[in-house]
């Protein structure tokens, strides 16, 4: 129990630190790295919550693949420090954090208020299979078959979209010449990686 | 550990993500903050699932991850397209799509 | 034929005449519209005679007959028929109106020749006669008001007959506005009566009145006062008199017919008709008597100083109608109506004579330019003098018997009516004076150039100009015709003026007290229910009154002779000595100026205020502009939200989310 609490606080701190880093760091590259650390901390929290498969998926898929994608793009686009404008964005820049704070307070009240009383429990005893890959898989193919299929359709859409977006359209680019990008590789890894060719 | 802790933490991360979306000007960073918000939602889902002893929440979180990935693909594709067209990577500059 | 059928015939003839002239004028050549119009009125007169004959044959008790054409309205609580009343009073009025109108139509055929609007004139005249007959034949207040309004409209149309003259059109508008004030009063009065008695029929109201109203009941007094407003506006009594002198802008036959013989007597007719109400509300009758008296001396005073020939005669009309109103207000109905009849004769005659003189002067109406027409226009001179004698109440003329009978009755009533009667005698003196002032100035004295030309047989043709302002005019439609006509050269004018002159002199036989009293007896069936029916002055008192009146008339004529013919410089010396008084009289006691200050200017200012402040600033600026501004601001706000800023959109999304969460939070607690 105590171990769990300590682990919670450590992971929680890591998650918050990562989140703050994402939002506050000027260099986008550093933001990406902060997000990675945030994701890993979140994975630890998932483990605490007996969501084994999801923790693994988080690390492997999210932190591993999606973040790598981000790194590539940041490297390509050039994550230069955001130039500070004289007006520095105006009203929203000052009001944004305030508003977010208000949002946090509101949700906290909702959560900690008396209406969500059941939150104040540890939850029932769950079996060993709770959150295991087998369990997840079984549910995917029985109870959540439709969402599963829909999700795969969505991924297909994303892949097609990526190909379309990566296409060079004639006359639209300042440097002309339309070479079609190579076909997609693996679904997640290659979606935007299909255009790893150097721009001409 | 009652679920309250996790949900409050999730709310905190969500609001940090919201602040980031409102404040930052680079679309890349905005997307990253969007990821934060999605992850916060995931955390909440999973903590509720643990609280209820029901795996449905975890599956939902999995779906969220899938959707997040797809969204990242498209978002980054747009950013790359913007870069290729030599447009400034700044949401305040990109305001021609008016109503 | 039933008696009431004659009544419908009386109405039908002028209506048909009007329709023919109005609709078919293009097809009627030359003076045919005039002959058709005159024939229509002749038909009406003959039908009136038939009505008289038939009524005389009716048995004693049923001397008041109502003929209904159809039911006009019949709803819950209110019923009105299109019905006419044939009784001695309406028969007398019909005879006078149709008879005098016929003669005036004859006169107009000659007078209006060469006017481009000849057919229009006769259409209007026939319309007027129809309306007047409708007014006197009506059996209920509804038809009375219809006739009343039509007569006002006809008056407007005829006053502004020469419509391209600015003075004529403004005079027409003035007459119409004041008439409308009277109309409103009459309608309110009729409504008050309807409210109390539930009926608009004469007999219904008169029979219900003693039961519903006590003596001097406030509602009855109010109703009678409102009816008086209508009567005074139509009969040009104080304070609604200002339109009558200006109405002389119309052609002379119009002045003769409408503003002497018929329309202005409608008020007298109304008071006589509603006599049961006035006897039940003596307060209103007293008001009427006082105003009648005030008018008669007011008008007589102005007539002594006025210099326009037609206007002097107009003021004398105002004054004589004051006598009639005094008469019917002190319950001397027979006397008042007798004076109405005789006045119609001699006043129409005077106007016709004036028209002839003005024709000789080629349109000029100013007394100062006239003189010595006696030798040049003998016929006009004789007839005009006959009318003047009757007006001045020279002994044994018709006016003598009628006017002095009224004053005798007033004396007999006693109380403060004696004062009114005395004022009446003073005014009679003034009447004789100003009447013969006219005669002597126009016909006596050294002849003016126009008269000398005429003696040689040559009529002067002056420039065509507005007599009042001197503006140049042409002779097209809307202006007087090119030719001027005088009685000596037109047989139609002679045919009209001759009979009237005779009647003016001998019509007194209808009412010689003690000897004939024809008219009074004839009118008895109408007025026998009067409270004062038995209160007649003794014959001795009447003869005394007549003698006094005759004496005053002779004194007045002598004074006029002395002032004007005997010592011409006396006139100017008197004018200088009484310069202030003279100025007041010339300016008609400044009544017009008072109205201008009190009513016209504030109304104009209110109109200006409405246009500038209310309309421009408030309605246009605040209401319209404000609405437009609000809409603009709203759309600008909506437009500003679509600015393409991603972060703004994101902010909106999150705000919405927060509100949603808040809602669920509130709902859940």
């Amino acid at each position: 129990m105590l171990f769990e609490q300590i682990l919670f606080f450590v992971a929680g701190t890591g998650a918050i630190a990562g989140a703050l880093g994402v939002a506050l760091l000027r260099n986008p590259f550093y933001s990406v790295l902060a997000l990675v650390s945030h994701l890993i901390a979140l994975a630890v929290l998932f483990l605490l919550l007996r969501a084994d498969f999801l923790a693994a998926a988080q690390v492997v898929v999210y932190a591993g693949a999606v973040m790598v994608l981000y790194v590539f793009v940041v490297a390509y686009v050039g994550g230069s420090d955001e130039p500070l404008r004289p007006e520095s964005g105006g009203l929203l820049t000052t009001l944004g954090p305030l508003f977010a704070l208000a949002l946090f307070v509101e949700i906290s009240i909702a959560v900690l208020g008396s209406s969500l009383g059941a939150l104040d429990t540890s939850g029932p005893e769950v079996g060993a299979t709770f959150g295991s890959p087998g369990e997840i898989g079984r549910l995917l193919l029985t109870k959540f078959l439709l969402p599963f299929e829909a999700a795969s359709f969505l991924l297909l859409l994303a892949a097609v979209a990526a190909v379309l977006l990566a296409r060079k359209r004639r006359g639209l680019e300042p440097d002309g010449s339309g070479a079609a990008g190579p076909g997609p590789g693996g679904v997640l890894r290659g979606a935007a990686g299909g255009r790893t060719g150097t721009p001409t | 550990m009652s679920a309250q802790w996790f949900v409050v933490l999730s709310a905190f991360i969500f609001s940090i993500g919201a602040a980031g979306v409102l404040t930052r000007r680079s679309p890349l960073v905005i997307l990253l903050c969007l990821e934060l918000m999605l992850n916060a939602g995931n955390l909440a889902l999973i903590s509720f699932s643990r609280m209820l002893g029901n795996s449905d929440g975890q599956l939902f979180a999995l779906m969220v991850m899938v959707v997040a990935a797809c969204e990242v693909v498209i978002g980054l594709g747009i950013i790359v397209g913007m870069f290729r067209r030599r447009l400034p990577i700044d949401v305040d500059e990109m305001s021609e799509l008016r109503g | 034929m039933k008696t009431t059928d004659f009544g419908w015939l009386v109405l039908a003839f002028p209506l048909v005449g009007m329709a023919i002239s109005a609709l078919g004028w293009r097809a009627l050549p030359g003076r045919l519209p005039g002959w058709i119009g005159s024939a229509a009125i002749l038909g009406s007169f003959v039908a009136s005679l038939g009505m008289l004959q038939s009524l005389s044959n009716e048995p004693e008790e049923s001397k008041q007959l109502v003929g209904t054409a159809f039911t006009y309205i019949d709803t819950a609580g209110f019923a009105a028929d299109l019905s006419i009343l044939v009784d001695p009073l309406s028969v007398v009025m019909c005879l006078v109106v149709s008879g005098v109108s016929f003669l005036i139509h004859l006169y107009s055929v000659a007078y209006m020749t060469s006017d481009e609007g000849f057919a229009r004139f006769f259409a209007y005249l026939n319309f007027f006669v129809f309306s007047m007959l409708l007014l006197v034949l009506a059996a209920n207040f509804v038809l009375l008001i219809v006739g009343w309004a039509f007569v006002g409209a006809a008056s407007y149309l005829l006053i502004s007959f020469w419509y391209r003259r600015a003075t004529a059109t403004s005079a027409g508008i003035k007459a119409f506005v004041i008439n409308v004030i009277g109309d409103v009063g009459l309608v309110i009065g009729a409504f008050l009566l309807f409210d109390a008695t539930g009926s608009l029929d004469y007999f219904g109201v008169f029979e219900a009145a003693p039961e519903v109203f006590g003596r001097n009941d406030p509602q009855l007094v109010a109703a009678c006062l409102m009816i008086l407003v209508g009567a005074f506006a139509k009969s040009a009594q104080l304070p609604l008199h200002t339109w009558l002198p200006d109405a002389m802008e119309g052609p002379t036959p119009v002045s003769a017919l409408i503003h002497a013989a018929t329309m202005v007597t409608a008020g007298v007719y109304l008071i006589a008709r509603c006599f049961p109400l006035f006897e039940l509300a003596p307060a209103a009758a007293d008001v009427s008597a006082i105003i009648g008296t005030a008018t008669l001396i007011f008008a007589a005073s102005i007539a002594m100083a006025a210099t326009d020939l037609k206007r002097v005669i107009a003021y004398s009309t105002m004054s004589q109608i004051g006598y009639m109103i005094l008469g019917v207000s002190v319950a001397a109905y027979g006397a008042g109506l007798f004076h109405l009849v005789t006045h119609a004769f001699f006043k129409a005659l005077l106007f016709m004579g004036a028209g002839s003189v003005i024709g000789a002067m080629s349109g000029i109406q100013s007394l100062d330019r006239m003189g010595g027409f006696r030798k040049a226009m003998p016929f006009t001179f004789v007839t005009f003098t006959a009318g003047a004698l009757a007006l001045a109440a020279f002994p044994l003329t018709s006016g003598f018997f009628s006017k002095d009978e009224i004053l005798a009755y007033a004396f007999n009533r006693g109380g403060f009516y004696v004062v009114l009667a005395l004022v009446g005698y003073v005014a009679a003196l003034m009447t004789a004076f100003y009447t013969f002032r006219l005669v002597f100035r126009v016909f006596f004295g050294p002849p003016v150039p126009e008269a000398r030309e005429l003696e040689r047989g040559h009529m002067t043709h002056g420039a065509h100009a507005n007599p009042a302002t001197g503006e140049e005019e042409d002779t097209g439609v809307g202006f007087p015709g090119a030719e001027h006509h005088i009685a000596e050269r037109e047989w139609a004018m002679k045919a009209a003026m001759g009979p009237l002159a005779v009647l003016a002199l001998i019509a007194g036989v209808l009412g010689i007290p003690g000897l004939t009293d024809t008219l009074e007896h004839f009118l008895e069936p109408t007025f026998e229910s009067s409270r004062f029916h038995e209160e007649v002055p003794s014959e001795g008192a009447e003869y005394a009154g007549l003698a006094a009146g005759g004496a005053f008339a002779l004194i007045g004529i002598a004074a006029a002779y002395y002032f004007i013919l005997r010592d011409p410089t006396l006139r100017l010396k008197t004018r200088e000595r009484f310069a202030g008084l003279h100025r007041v009289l010339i300016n008609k006691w400044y009544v017009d100026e008072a109205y201008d200050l009190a009513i016209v200017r504030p109304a104009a200012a209110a109109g200006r205020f409405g246009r500038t402040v209310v309309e421009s600033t408030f309605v246009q600026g605040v209401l319209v502009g404000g609405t437009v501004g609000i809409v603009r601001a709203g759309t600008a706000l909506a437009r500003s939200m679509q600015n393409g800023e991603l972060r703004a959109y994101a902010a909106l999304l999150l705000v919405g989310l927060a509100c949603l969460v808040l809602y669920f939070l509130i709902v859940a607690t």
Side-chain angles (χ1 to χ4, degrees):
Chain A
M1 210 44 213
L2 184 65
F3 174 67
E4 280 184 14
Q5 282 181 333
I6 293 171
L7 200 53
F8 171 76
F9 277 107
V10 168
T13 314
I16 289 173
L20 286 171
V22 169
L24 296 176
L25 289 170
R26 288 284 134 203
N27 196 334
F29 201 75
Y30 294 157
S31 299
V32 173
L33 293 177
L35 187 63
V36 172
S37 61
H38 167 80
L39 288 170
I40 294 175
L42 228 56
V44 172
L45 286 170
F46 287 175
L47 278 173
L48 273 173
L49 287 167
R50 306 292 300 280
D52 320 328
F53 174 70
L54 248 78
Q58 175 95 330
V59 173
V60 168
V61 168
Y62 223 129
V66 176
M67 285 301 121
V68 168
L69 189 59
Y70 258 107
V71 168
F72 272 120
V73 172
V74 168
Y76 176 56
V77 166
S80 54
D81 288 2
E82 265 177 29
L84 278 172
R85 290 295 165 80
E87 324 89 272
S88 71
L91 201 63
L92 268 174
T93 319
T94 43
L95 278 186
L98 286 169
F99 172 69
L101 182 67
L103 191 61
F104 170 62
V105 167
E106 185 185 13
I107 298 180
S108 309
I109 292 172
V111 166
L112 298 172
S114 58
S115 54
L116 297 173
L119 278 175
D120 206 10
T121 60
S122 321
E125 282 295 319
V126 289
T129 56
F130 182 74
S132 65
E135 179 71 17
I136 301 289
R138 189 184 62 76
L139 280 172
L140 267 179
L141 291 171
T142 55
K143 190 173 172 194
F144 292 100
L145 186 57
L146 186 59
F148 174 60
E149 296 299 330
S152 52
F153 191 64
L154 182 64
L155 289 165
L156 176 64
L157 271 177
V160 170
V163 169
L164 275 174
L165 280 172
R167 212 167 36 129
K168 281 190 187 155
R169 269 160 275 179
R170 265 173 228 272
L172 287 176
E173 309 231 351
D175 32 287
S177 86
V187 169
L188 284 175
R189 189 175 320 194
R195 42 135 322 285
T196 43
T198 48
T200 45
Chain B
M1 299 286 348
S2 66
Q4 262 179 348
W5 297 89
F6 290 93
V7 176
V8 170
L9 177 65
S10 147
F12 194 52
I13 295 173
F14 185 86
S15 42
I16 292 175
V21 164
L22 292 177
T23 317
R24 300 299 293 262
R25 282 212 313 273
S26 166
L28 263 175
V29 180
I30 289 179
L31 275 171
L32 286 172
C33 296
L34 218 51
E35 296 298 314
L36 269 184
M37 288 158 85
L38 281 164
N39 277 295
N42 267 355
L43 183 59
L45 274 166
I46 292 173
S47 50
F48 282 130
S49 148
R50 172 70 181 91
M51 183 189 89
L52 292 171
N54 194 341
S55 293
D56 293 356
Q58 294 185 3
L59 266 145
F60 202 87
L62 190 61
M63 294 299 143
V64 170
M65 267 195 235
V66 168
V67 169
C70 299
E71 166 225 331
V72 163
V73 161
I74 310 237
L76 291 178
I78 292 175
I79 292 176
V80 167
M82 278 161 65
F83 181 74
R84 286 213 311 226
R85 297 253 217 104
R86 310 264 189 273
L87 297 165
I89 311 290
D90 183 333
V91 291
D92 286 346
E93 298 286 315
M94 294 282 99
S95 62
E96 268 175 30
L97 197 67
R98 293 169 187 261
Chain C
M1 281 228 306
K2 289 199 304 181
T3 317
T4 49
D5 290 344
F6 283 110
W8 295 113
L9 267 183
V10 167
L11 284 174
F13 276 112
L15 195 59
V16 168
M18 171 190 93
I20 294 176
S21 293
L23 299 174
W25 60 275
R26 277 187 223 269
L28 302 169
R31 309 208 288 190
L32 194 53
W35 300 125
I36 292 176
S38 310
I41 307 299
L42 183 61
S44 198
F45 180 65
V46 169
S48 307
L49 287 173
M51 205 161 59
L52 171 68
Q53 163 84 326
S54 180
L55 192 66
S56 315
N57 290 341
E58 297 276 345
E60 263 314 307
E61 320 75 59
S62 74
K63 285 290 191 185
Q64 302 192 289
L65 304 160
V66 176
T68 308
F70 55 87
T71 307
Y72 185 50
I73 301 174
D74 191 1
T75 71
F78 177 62
D81 300 335
L82 203 75
S83 47
I84 57 170
L85 170 64
V86 177
D87 80 339
L89 176 58
S90 50
V91 166
V92 166
M93 294 295 299
C94 281
L95 281 169
V96 168
V97 170
S98 54
V100 176
S101 300
F102 169 63
L103 294 172
I104 294 178
H105 273 75
L106 271 186
Y107 179 88
S108 314
V109 172
Y111 190 82
M112 299 296 287
T113 314
S114 89
D115 192 306
E116 297 267 344
F118 189 76
R120 179 165 57 103
F121 186 75
F122 280 95
Y124 285 164
L125 269 190
N126 274 16
F127 173 60
F128 168 78
V129 176
F130 165 72
S131 326
M132 189 70 202
L133 291 170
L134 186 65
L135 198 160
V136 299
L137 279 173
N140 52 38
F141 279 99
V142 174
L143 215 52
L144 171 79
I145 291 172
V146 170
W148 200 269
F150 278 175
V151 166
S155 166
Y156 165 74
L157 290 169
L158 284 163
I159 292 174
S160 43
F161 181 73
W162 288 320
Y163 55 83
R164 285 171 63 195
R165 257 189 203 171
T167 48
T169 50
S170 32
I173 291 173
K174 186 172 179 179
F176 197 70
V177 168
I178 297 183
N179 255 298
V180 165
I181 296 176
D183 284 355
V184 168
L186 183 58
V187 169
I188 293 177
F191 171 71
L192 286 171
L193 291 173
F194 171 71
D195 183 50
T197 59
S199 161
L200 278 178
D201 237 34
Y202 285 149
F203 291 129
V205 173
F206 297 157
E207 272 154 35
E211 285 138 47
V212 178
F213 297 116
R215 203 183 126 93
N216 267 339
D217 187 290
Q219 186 168 358
L220 180 64
V221 172
C224 289
L225 285 176
M226 285 293 114
I227 290 178
L228 282 179
V229 168
F232 291 155
K234 196 65 83 183
S235 298
Q237 301 295 289
L238 243 52
L240 296 167
H241 66 282
T242 48
W243 63 274
L244 189 58
D246 288 0
M248 298 298 118
E249 291 284 336
T252 307
V254 168
S255 308
L257 179 59
I258 299 186
H259 306 125
T262 42
M263 187 180 98
V264 289
T265 58
V268 181
Y269 164 77
L270 181 63
I271 300 178
R273 177 61 82 196
C274 295
F275 79 90
L277 301 173
F278 282 97
E279 287 188 2
L280 210 50
D286 291 344
V287 168
S288 172
I290 292 172
I291 290 190
T293 317
T295 309
L296 66 90
I297 194 150
F298 171 85
S301 66
I302 298 179
M304 296 215 293
T307 54
D308 183 315
L309 176 60
K310 279 172 71 173
R311 275 172 177 75
V312 173
I313 306 179
Y315 282 112
S316 103
T317 305
M318 214 190 281
S319 180
Q320 297 304 305
I321 294 178
Y323 275 105
M324 294 177 220
I325 299 236
L326 174 63
V328 292
S329 304
V330 299
Y333 305 114
L337 288 163
F338 184 36
H339 196 54
L340 193 155
V341 172
T342 58
H343 174 261
F345 297 149
F346 57 72
K347 196 47 66 68
L349 178 62
L350 280 174
F351 268 112
M352 287 185 193
S356 184
V357 171
I358 291 170
M361 296 285 299
S362 77
I364 296 175
Q365 297 177 229
S366 170
L367 265 184
D368 296 327
R369 299 267 310 263
M370 298 180 189
F373 273 97
R374 202 172 70 237
K375 271 219 290 249
M377 304 175 74
F379 182 82
T380 310
F381 167 60
V382 167
T383 48
F384 195 90
T385 312
L389 286 171
L391 174 56
F394 191 82
L396 299 185
T397 56
S398 57
F400 169 70
F401 287 111
S402 57
K403 186 195 301 184
D404 295 318
E405 197 176 341
I406 293 177
L407 295 173
Y409 269 85
F411 253 117
N412 190 50
R413 277 286 292 270
F416 79 101
Y417 296 112
V418 173
V419 176
L420 300 182
L422 287 173
V423 172
Y425 278 117
V426 171
L429 178 66
M430 292 161 78
T431 305
F433 176 77
Y434 69 67
T435 311
F436 273 84
R437 167 175 174 252
L438 273 186
V439 172
F440 293 142
R441 281 188 70 173
V442 174
F443 294 103
F444 287 78
V448 291
E450 286 90 351
R452 261 184 266 122
E453 290 283 317
L454 203 49
E455 281 170 35
R456 284 187 229 123
H458 172 250
M459 242 174 75
T460 328
H461 287 287
H464 296 290
N466 185 333
T469 61
E471 266 174 69
E472 284 279 321
E473 300 170 346
D474 58 61
T475 56
V477 164
F479 277 133
E483 296 164 20
H484 295 282
H485 307 276
I486 57 172
E488 278 67 18
R489 295 193 176 183
E490 304 280 346
W491 68 266
M493 289 164 93
K494 282 197 212 169
M497 290 161 78
L500 280 178
V502 171
L503 281 172
L505 291 175
I506 66 162
V509 298
L510 283 176
I512 303 178
L515 280 179
T516 54
D517 274 337
T518 325
L519 193 63
E520 191 119 5
H521 283 309
F522 182 68
L523 287 172
E524 232 168 68
T526 309
F527 294 113
E528 55 190 349
S529 58
S530 162
R531 260 193 311 148
F532 302 98
H533 193 237
E534 303 304 318
E535 274 187 43
V536 286
S538 65
E539 281 191 24
E542 282 205 45
Y543 286 128
L546 285 177
F552 278 124
L554 290 169
I555 296 173
I557 296 174
Y561 174 73
Y562 188 70
F563 256 88
I564 294 168
L565 285 186
R566 197 60 184 279
D567 187 358
T569 58
L570 194 58
R571 219 178 71 213
L572 292 155
K573 275 193 262 172
T574 323
R575 187 189 297 183
E576 274 157 35
R577 254 183 84 189
F578 296 102
L581 180 64
H582 184 258
R583 208 173 333 118
V584 169
L585 292 181
I586 282 279
N587 282 311
K588 304 165 271 173
W589 294 81
Y590 295 111
V591 177
D592 275 311
E593 285 77 4
Y595 278 155
D596 186 45
L597 268 178
I599 297 173
V600 176
R601 288 208 197 159
R608 264 196 305 277
F609 175 76
R611 180 166 49 86
T612 52
V613 174
V614 176
E615 177 67 25
S616 295
T617 315
F618 183 61
V619 174
Q620 282 294 110
V622 172
L623 290 181
V624 174
T627 318
V628 168
I630 289 174
V631 171
R632 275 224 185 103
T635 52
L637 184 66
R639 225 186 318 127
S640 66
M641 290 209 299
Q642 302 277 331
N643 54 4
E645 298 255 325
L646 183 76
R647 287 169 29 186
Y649 295 165
L652 278 174
L653 272 172
L654 285 166
V655 167
L657 174 72
C659 292
L660 208 61
V661 171
L662 195 62
Y663 168 72
F664 281 119
L665 185 60
I666 291 173
V667 162
T669 52

